[in-house]
């Protein structure tokens, strides 16, 4: 078969049933990505004879004589198509995994399509951006720029420097985990459990091993007898050790039963189908309330408090009971006004466009090497070494660009099996999740039942807060304890109630495991707290902004946690900014007959994880005047790669093209906890800032030794000392500690002291009482991000968090049936918001400067998500006069509010 790709002729012989996507990648076109393989996400979009299609559902055998154009072929040579230029310049990407396919579809938009852009682009999903910058990029590429552009930013902090990888990303040429093939890599596939709870009596792999191309099959009898947690933290004892790589007992539908390694994916899949397993089906429990009731089936009866499981005899991983300031029941009884309610949040999948996956091999030094789509390469390395009894120096883990994470890649979901297979076979092995695997085998957002009772004076001053929380961790306890602690702490600390009581538990069930998700539990609890605050405002007939002003914490208040500090405070500004924008409106009206309501909510988050979040970095001056920067943190759309460059550019006074930054590799620096808990700026950025400052001082010190009578000054061209300009080569040559690489200094940040960031979200919604449809008319978020290092990028983080919050508020829910099976394990039936679902969010930044962050910056990756759902719920309440208590507030649930 012969066809054309990007103007070049291709001869191919497609396999039976092969799709165009995989055929293109086999011929080196890795710009065509895999997000779903079901025609739902658009990451694989190409032009077929000039028309945009999803290549994952186009049969490869139909390509004879046809023409294919990928993102890399939209323009000749190294040039970019106008829409690619616009997407790059408008920050129309974050992780960038969707961007090549997005560019392909957008390249076909004409002026007459602009009024129907939502329909034109509905087949391309973006999980990161919130779509606003993509919309603007498409319009500007068709109509021309809407405003004059000034000179390109030099890279100093405070400017909207476009990420250096932008041109490669829009063409699909920036490599992700599986974009640099490893020659001869075997394919790993997993047989999963059809039962929610069962003991494996026997596994017959005879027929599977006989299939041509099968190299190895592993069961629970072939793996190390080591228990661990898939969740990774700086302190590995934060989670219970309750997971075994392959177990003789399965505890949820979709759990691994056996792993097959074969020469081809087809052979591995066939072998999985040929394995015969004899199960003893065990009683299962899916309701978290029932799970902690005496007599319920026990999931991990052998776990003890030493394993970080408080009460295995009632499936309780952690039981937390605290009282602050007195007896909460007495305080509530003495309050002039009380309100109470119970809210339920659903399961949400991260829906990052790049699925989990890793590829491993043995390098020339005999080390195990794993390239993984991970947020935490160092923590993965250390746990892999522990599981297999190896020295960490014998293991290298690194990440290419990561196609989205949102906390979901703070786990070990593929690396352990890849390590097992590589070490056993001695050959490279690749394991990539399908989209269905993401729903059935990766972690989801913790569903929670949140009961809140508030007491107050008639003037609206809080007198007592009571929180009762039940969290469902699913079959395993990864992130169960940390999410519970975090959810309770920050959600209640934001208010100055003199008496507070907390009773919270997280329990095992036979559901799909929960894990780390953007906001780390705060979104669930803030839904309850902020909804109850709105109920209090209604009971008092008080403006909800005013009620918050009377009760939020202020500088000098007790923060109740020893490592929290007042680095800066901007919550008062955030309240003013959001209220002003809401009162001003945006001119968007509601359809006739629809009810309109306004809502708002407050959120606070600590600027890093507690108990230490470590980052080591290095900065090296080379003889040619360029700088090599090394950091361990990962880039997955959080923007660290551009912000780290801006920090260094500001210290050294150079353009970013003089900076060579490498990240996310355990060979680069001594340690980095990872890219989670919004630590990219506040920890890794601070560590690199320290390394750069140390290098600057080292250069100046050397200059003083060379020119004793002059006060030196670092410039872009060298170090000026009096009337001499010392070249960088001279500085390096004079350094006694320089190496062939140049002059190197290190920077470290232990992250033991945390500041606070604040966000306020406000919305105006219209609700159709006859259908339950909710339409957002105006979306506003004000944010206290300290010094905003890259305004366009930080705005994108806020918009993306708000969009994800809108998705989980109105549309997204992983549904589990009565047997524990995920009912909607594909994007076709799980509603990731499309272009039409997300309105542009107005973003306003408070003017603050944080004492603890680099250049006064705070984190802003997680926090924008947290106040969105309660603000929407409060607006629905004020539109209909009745409150929704179950999130997401789907059309059916909202309809039932008024129709019973």
């Amino acid at each position: 078969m012969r066809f054309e790709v990007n103007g070049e002729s291709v001869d191919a012989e497609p396999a039976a049933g092969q799709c165009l996507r995989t055929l293109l990648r086999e011929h080196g076109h890795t710009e065509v990505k895999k997000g779903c393989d079901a025609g739902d996400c658009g990451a694989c979009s190409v032009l077929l004879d000039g028309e945009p299609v999803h290549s994952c559902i186009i049969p490869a055998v139909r390509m004879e004589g046809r023409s294919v154009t990928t993102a890399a072929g939209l323009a000749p040579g190294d040039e970019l198509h106008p829409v690619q230029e616009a997407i790059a310049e408008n920050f129309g990407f974050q992780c960038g995994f969707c961007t090549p396919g997005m560019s392909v579809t957008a390249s076909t938009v004409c002026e007459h399509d602009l009024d129907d852009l939502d329909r034109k682009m509905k087949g391309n999903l973006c999980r990161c951006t919130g779509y606003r910058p993509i919309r603007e990029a498409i319009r500007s590429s068709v109509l021309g720029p809407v405003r004059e552009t000034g000179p390109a930013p030099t890279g100093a902090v405070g400017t909207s420097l476009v990420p250096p990888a932008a041109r490669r990303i829009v063409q699909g040429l920036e490599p992700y985990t599986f974009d640099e093939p490893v020659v001869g890599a075997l394919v790993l596939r997993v047989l999963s459990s059809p039962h929610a709870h069962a003991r494996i009596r026997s596994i017959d792999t005879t027929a599977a091993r006989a299939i041509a191309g099968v190299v190895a099959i592993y069961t629970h009898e072939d793996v190390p007898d080591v228990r661990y947690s898939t969740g990774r933290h700086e302190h590995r004892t934060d989670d219970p050790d309750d997971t075994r790589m392959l177990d003789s007992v399965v505890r949820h539908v979709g759990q691994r039963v056996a792993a097959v390694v074969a020469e081809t994916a087809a052979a591995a899949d066939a072998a999985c189908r040929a394995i015969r397993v004899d199960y003893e089906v065990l009683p299962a429990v899916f309701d978290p309330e029932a799970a902690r009731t005496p007599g319920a089936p026990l999931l991990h009866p052998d776990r003890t408090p030493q394993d970080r499981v408080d009460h295995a005899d009632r499936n309780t991983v952690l039981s937390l009971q605290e009282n602050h300031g007195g007896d909460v029941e007495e305080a509530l009884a003495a309050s002039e006004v009380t309100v109470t309610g119970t809210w339920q949040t659903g399961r949400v999948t991260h829906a990052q466009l790049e699925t989990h996956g890793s590829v491993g091999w043995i390098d020339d030094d005999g080390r195990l090497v794993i390239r993984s789509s991970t947020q935490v390469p160092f923590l993965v390395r250390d746990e892999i070494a522990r599981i297999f009894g190896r020295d960490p120096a014998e293991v290298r883990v690194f990440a290419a660009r990561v196609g989205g994470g949102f906390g979901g890649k703070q786990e070990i979901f593929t690396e352990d099996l890849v390590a097992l297979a590589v070490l056993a076979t001695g050959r490279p092995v690749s394991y990539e999740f399908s989209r269905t695997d993401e729903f059935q085998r990766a972690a989801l957002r913790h569903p929670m039942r949140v009961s809140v009772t508030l007491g107050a004076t008639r003037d609206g001053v809080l007198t007592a807060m009571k929180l009762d929380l039940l969290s469902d961790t699913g079959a395993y306890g990864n992130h169960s304890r940390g999410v519970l602690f975090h959810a309770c702490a920050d959600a209640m600390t934001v208010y100055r109630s003199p008496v507070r009581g907390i009773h919270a538990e997280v329990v095992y069930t036979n559901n799909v495991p929960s894990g780390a998700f953007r906001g780390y539990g705060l979104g669930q609890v803030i839904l309850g707290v902020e909804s109850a605050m709105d109920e209090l405002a209604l009971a008092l007939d008080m403006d909800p902004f005013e009620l918050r002003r009377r009760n939020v914490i202020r500088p000098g208040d007790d923060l109740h946690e020893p490592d929290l500090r007042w680095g800066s405070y901007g919550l008062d500004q955030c309240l003013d900014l959001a209220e002003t924008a809401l009162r001003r409106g945006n001119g968007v009206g509601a359809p006739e007959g629809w009810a309109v309501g306004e809502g708002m909510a407050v959120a606070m988050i600590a600027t890093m994880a507690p108990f230490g979040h470590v980052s080591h970095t290095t900065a090296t001056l080379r003889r040619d005047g360029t700088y090599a920067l090394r950091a361990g943190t990962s880039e997955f759309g959080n923007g660290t790669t551009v912000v780290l460059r801006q920090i260094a550019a500001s210290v050294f006074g150079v353009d970013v093209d003089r900076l060579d930054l490498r990240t996310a590799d355990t060979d680069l620096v001594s340690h980095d906890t990872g890219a989670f808990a919004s630590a990219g700026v506040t920890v890794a950025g601070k560590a690199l800032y320290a390394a750069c400052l140390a290098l600057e001082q080292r250069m100046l010190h050397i200059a003083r030794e060379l020119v004793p009578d002059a006060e030196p000054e670092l410039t872009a061209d060298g170090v000026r000392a009096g009337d001499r300009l010392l070249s960088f080569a001279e500085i390096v040559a004079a350094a006694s500690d320089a190496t062939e690489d140049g002059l190197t200094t290190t920077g470290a940040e232990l992250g033991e002291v945390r500041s606070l960031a604040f966000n306020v979200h406000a919305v105006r919604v219209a609700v159709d009482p006859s259908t339950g449809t909710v339409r957002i008319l105006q979306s506003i978020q004000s944010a206290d991000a300290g010094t905003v290092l890259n305004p366009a990028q930080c705005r994108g983080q806020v918009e993306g968090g708000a969009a994800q919050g809108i998705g989980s508020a109105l549309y997204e829910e992983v549904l589990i049936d009565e047997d524990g099976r995920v009912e909607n394990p594909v994007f076709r039936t799980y509603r990731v918001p499309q272009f039409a679902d997300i309105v542009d969010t107005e973003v306003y930044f408070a003017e603050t400067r944080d004492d603890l962050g680099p250049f006064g910056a705070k984190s802003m990756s997680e926090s924008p998500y947290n106040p969105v759902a309660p603000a929407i719920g409060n607006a629905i309440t004020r539109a209909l006069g009745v409150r929704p208590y179950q999130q997401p507030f789907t059309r059916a649930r909202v309809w039932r509010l008024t129709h019973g």
Side-chain angles (χ1 to χ4, degrees):
M1 184 182 76
R2 176 170 290 182
F3 65 110
E4 191 178 86
V5 181
N6 297 339
E8 296 184 358
S9 182
V10 173
D11 291 310
E13 187 174 346
Q18 186 173 25
C19 69
L20 176 58
R21 183 191 73 81
T22 58
L23 183 67
L24 289 170
R25 288 183 67 87
E26 285 177 1
H27 284 78
H29 291 284
T30 56
E31 66 268 26
V32 183
K33 310 300 184 187
K34 182 194 101 170
C36 67
D37 270 359
D40 296 333
C41 75
C44 68
S45 295
V46 299
L47 300 183
L48 182 56
D49 296 332
E51 293 296 320
V53 299
H54 293 175
S55 63
C56 68
I57 55 173
I58 301 296
V61 295
R62 296 182 182 175
M63 290 301 102
E64 177 65 47
R66 306 190 74 176
S67 174
V68 175
T69 304
T70 72
L74 290 176
D78 294 331
E79 296 181 25
L80 298 184
H81 185 279
V83 79
Q84 291 176 316
E85 289 274 11
I87 289 173
E89 293 300 319
N90 283 273
F91 288 75
F93 66 91
Q94 287 178 28
C95 84
F97 197 79
C98 75
T99 308
M102 190 78 70
S103 298
V104 165
T105 304
S107 72
T108 66
V109 173
C110 301
E111 186 170 353
H112 67 265
D113 295 319
L114 293 179
D115 290 338
D116 199 16
L117 193 59
D118 290 346
R119 181 197 59 79
K120 183 75 174 179
M121 299 300 298
K122 69 178 183 179
N124 289 83
L125 301 178
C126 177
R127 189 56 159 170
C128 298
T129 64
Y131 296 112
R132 189 272 314 163
I134 303 174
R135 286 194 194 98
E136 290 189 359
I138 295 173
R139 289 184 179 277
S140 68
S141 70
V142 174
L143 301 176
V146 296
R147 60 182 181 274
E148 291 291 328
T149 57
T154 61
V157 297
T159 64
S160 294
L161 178 71
V162 173
R167 294 182 65 87
R168 298 190 301 273
I169 286 170
V170 295
Q171 292 180 299
L173 302 181
E174 179 74 0
Y176 293 80
T177 307
F178 294 99
D179 289 346
E180 294 181 341
V182 177
V183 176
L186 301 171
V187 177
L188 190 148
R189 290 285 194 269
V190 166
L191 172 68
S192 59
S193 169
H195 304 293
H197 201 190
R199 180 173 287 106
I200 297 173
R201 292 193 182 103
S202 64
I203 302 180
D204 185 354
T205 62
T206 305
R209 293 179 188 275
I211 294 173
V214 172
V215 174
I217 299 177
Y218 306 105
T219 72
H220 61 272
E221 296 178 347
D222 306 306
V223 302
D225 188 16
V226 176
R227 295 203 176 271
Y228 54 98
S229 171
T230 61
R232 307 312 319 133
H233 309 270
E234 174 63 26
H235 306 285
R236 69 166 311 280
T237 54
D238 284 358
D239 280 340
D241 287 330
D242 56 11
T243 300
R244 192 168 176 237
M245 198 179 308
L246 294 168
D247 207 329
S248 59
V249 176
V250 292
R251 297 173 176 88
H252 69 91
V253 174
Q255 182 171 328
R256 306 164 169 180
V257 172
V260 174
V261 179
E263 300 285 353
T264 66
D269 289 336
C272 285
R273 291 191 295 269
I275 296 173
R276 297 292 174 259
V277 185
D278 180 17
Y279 294 98
E280 175 193 351
V281 178
L282 303 173
V285 59
F286 305 109
D287 177 75
E289 190 66 66
R292 62 179 179 175
T293 302
L298 300 180
L299 275 75
H300 299 275
D302 61 337
R303 299 293 91 187
T304 68
Q306 286 70 40
D307 304 309
R308 280 83 66 194
V309 178
D310 285 6
H311 302 287
D313 58 341
R314 59 184 192 94
N315 290 316
T316 303
V317 183
L318 173 65
S319 184
L320 175 66
Q321 185 139 8
E322 295 180 356
N323 282 285
H324 301 278
D327 187 290
V328 69
E329 299 296 345
E330 291 182 1
L332 287 169
S335 299
E336 294 176 322
V337 180
T338 60
V339 295
T340 189
T342 298
W343 288 264
Q344 181 72 44
T345 67
R347 290 177 178 81
V348 179
T349 182
H350 302 77
Q352 78 287 343
L353 268 291
E354 182 194 36
T355 62
H356 287 82
S358 55
V359 57
W361 62 89
I362 301 295
D363 70 9
D364 293 340
D365 297 323
R367 292 192 306 168
L368 171 65
V369 179
I370 298 176
R371 182 173 70 223
S372 174
S373 181
T374 180
Q375 298 174 223
V376 286
F378 287 82
L379 304 187
V380 169
R381 177 201 64 182
D382 293 349
E383 197 65 6
I384 291 296
R386 174 182 172 272
I387 292 169
F388 291 95
R390 302 173 78 88
D391 190 304
E394 299 173 1
V395 182
R396 175 192 175 200
V397 176
F398 71 100
R401 190 176 184 93
V402 177
F406 313 112
K409 291 177 179 174
Q410 194 188 337
E411 308 264 2
I412 294 177
F413 285 145
T414 62
E415 299 90 345
D416 49 355
L417 284 179
V418 166
L420 172 73
V422 170
L423 293 173
T425 66
R427 294 182 58 181
V429 176
S430 173
Y431 178 27
E432 184 177 13
F433 267 21
S434 69
R435 181 53 57 183
T436 296
D437 289 337
E438 290 290 331
F439 285 89
Q440 296 181 338
R441 196 171 298 136
L444 306 173
R445 182 174 179 246
H446 285 80
M448 294 187 188
R449 187 215 69 202
V450 182
S451 297
V452 181
T453 304
L454 302 178
T457 68
R458 297 195 185 279
D459 293 330
V461 177
L462 287 173
T463 53
M465 299 180 68
K466 177 184 175 183
L467 177 67
D468 189 290
L469 170 64
L470 179 60
S471 175
D472 180 0
T473 191
Y476 293 93
N478 41 307
H479 296 282
S480 57
R481 299 173 70 90
V483 163
L484 194 73
F485 276 120
H486 190 249
C488 294
D490 292 4
M492 294 188 75
T493 303
V494 71
Y495 291 113
R496 308 171 71 218
S497 174
V499 181
R500 299 183 300 155
I502 300 173
H503 178 248
E505 292 193 333
V506 55
V507 299
Y508 289 121
T509 64
N510 291 110
N511 293 310
V512 179
S514 304
F517 188 100
R518 194 175 203 165
Y520 213 64
L522 277 177
Q524 296 95 307
V525 180
I526 288 173
L527 173 69
V529 171
E530 290 300 300
S531 298
M533 286 293 289
D534 199 60
E535 281 293 294
L536 183 59
L538 289 168
L540 294 169
D541 192 24
M542 182 177 291
D543 179 84
F545 286 94
E546 179 59 27
L547 178 65
R548 268 68 171 197
R549 289 189 180 96
R550 294 186 184 190
N551 290 286
V552 292
I553 57 169
R554 300 162 193 154
D557 286 347
D558 185 2
L559 296 175
H560 305 288
E561 295 182 60
D563 62 342
L564 287 179
R565 297 287 187 276
W566 288 106
S568 65
Y569 182 80
L571 179 52
D572 51 351
Q573 294 182 55
C574 289
L575 288 164
D576 292 346
L577 290 166
E579 183 179 21
T580 299
L582 188 63
R583 300 290 173 255
R584 180 172 61 241
N586 62 353
V588 178
E592 185 176 352
W594 290 42
V596 176
E598 295 179 348
M600 58 82 66
V602 168
M604 181 187 81
I605 192 169
T607 55
M608 67 186 76
F611 312 125
H613 194 114
V614 178
S615 181
H616 293 97
T617 62
T618 65
T620 300
L621 170 66
R622 294 168 172 162
R623 288 169 176 80
D624 63 358
T626 61
Y627 295 88
L629 311 174
R630 302 292 181 257
T633 191
S634 298
E635 171 63 66
F636 58 98
N638 50 350
T640 53
T641 51
V642 66
V643 169
L644 293 180
R645 284 182 170 93
Q646 289 183 269
I647 289 171
S650 295
V651 173
F652 299 133
V654 298
D655 291 343
V656 292
D657 58 7
R658 294 261 296 275
L659 305 174
D660 169 27
L661 173 67
R662 290 178 57 196
T663 63
D665 188 335
T666 59
D667 272 4
L668 295 179
V669 294
S670 57
H671 185 70
D672 190 281
T673 298
F676 64 92
S678 304
V681 168
T682 55
V683 182
K686 196 171 180 180
L688 185 65
Y689 185 40
C692 293
L693 289 176
L695 181 56
E696 178 192 37
Q697 292 303 310
R698 185 82 178 90
M699 287 189 280
L700 296 177
H701 176 74
I702 292 170
R704 291 187 186 97
E705 292 181 335
L706 294 175
V707 188
D709 297 331
E711 184 57 34
E713 177 186 4
L714 177 63
T715 75
D717 301 317
V719 180
R720 182 165 298 283
D723 58 359
R724 287 186 60 184
L725 180 65
L726 301 171
S727 71
F728 293 114
E730 289 180 85
I731 294 292
V732 174
S736 60
D737 53 345
T739 66
E740 291 184 2
D741 295 328
L743 175 61
T744 299
T745 55
T746 62
E749 172 61 28
L750 303 181
E752 290 177 344
V753 178
R754 302 180 293 157
S755 185
L756 296 170
F758 301 94
N759 298 72
V760 174
H761 199 85
V763 293
R764 182 165 47 88
V765 306
V767 184
D768 181 359
S770 65
T771 65
T773 301
V774 177
R775 182 181 301 175
I776 298 176
L777 305 176
Q778 186 179 16
S779 175
I780 302 156
Q781 186 159 137
S782 52
D784 174 17
T787 301
V788 180
L789 301 185
N790 187 310
Q793 180 170 277
C794 194
R795 177 187 179 186
Q797 291 288 303
V798 175
E799 291 173 320
Q804 203 167 37
I806 291 169
S808 58
L810 296 177
Y811 310 116
E812 299 181 51
E813 185 172 20
V814 178
L815 303 174
I816 309 289
D817 70 13
E818 64 274 9
D819 297 316
R821 294 183 177 87
V822 176
E823 295 184 294
N824 55 339
V826 292
F827 282 159
R828 188 67 53 92
T829 52
Y830 178 87
R831 181 78 177 280
V832 176
Q834 302 173 344
F835 260 72
D837 298 318
I838 303 297
V839 301
D840 294 350
T841 292
E842 302 170 33
V843 178
Y844 304 96
F845 291 112
E847 295 183 1
T848 62
R849 181 181 177 87
D850 199 77
D851 293 339
L852 302 179
F855 292 96
K858 297 184 187 181
S859 56
M860 198 47 56
S861 293
E862 291 183 276
S863 53
Y865 172 87
N866 295 323
V868 177
I872 293 173
N874 291 340
I876 293 171
T877 300
R878 289 171 181 265
L880 297 180
V882 60
R883 181 170 295 281
Y885 287 92
Q886 188 169 1
Q887 181 189 338
F889 315 126
T890 61
R891 188 168 59 180
R893 286 174 180 151
V894 172
W895 182 86
R896 284 195 291 268
L897 290 176
T898 55
H899 292 77

